[in-house]
Amino acid sequence: MKKVRGVLFTLLLAAVTVRVMWLAIEPLVPYLVSVTAVVLVLGFIYYRMTRW
């Protein structure tokens, strides 16, 4: 019983940790998508300009 309680406590702690991390990261998702798109576009332009 003690081992089961320990596993359940670990799962609960993991779930709370994932939830807190998601709440911290969720507002940044639009910025991350925007930055990724800009970097891809600039990289494509740079690749086309420097290609022989």
Side-chain angles (χ1 to χ4, degrees):
M1 188 64 166
K2 193 173 185 180
K3 189 171 186 170
V4 172
R5 222 179 290 148
V7 169
L8 288 176
F9 179 74
T10 304
L11 289 174
L12 180 65
L13 191 60
V16 170
T17 303
V18 168
R19 178 70 176 154
V20 169
M21 286 179 64
W22 175 248
L23 289 175
I25 293 172
E26 184 184 13
L28 301 175
V29 170
Y31 299 111
L32 293 173
V33 171
S34 301
V35 168
T36 303
V38 168
V39 167
L40 285 173
V41 168
L42 291 176
F44 179 75
I45 291 170
Y46 178 75
Y47 171 74
R48 294 300 249 171
M49 287 176 61
T50 59
R51 205 171 121 207
W52 287 96

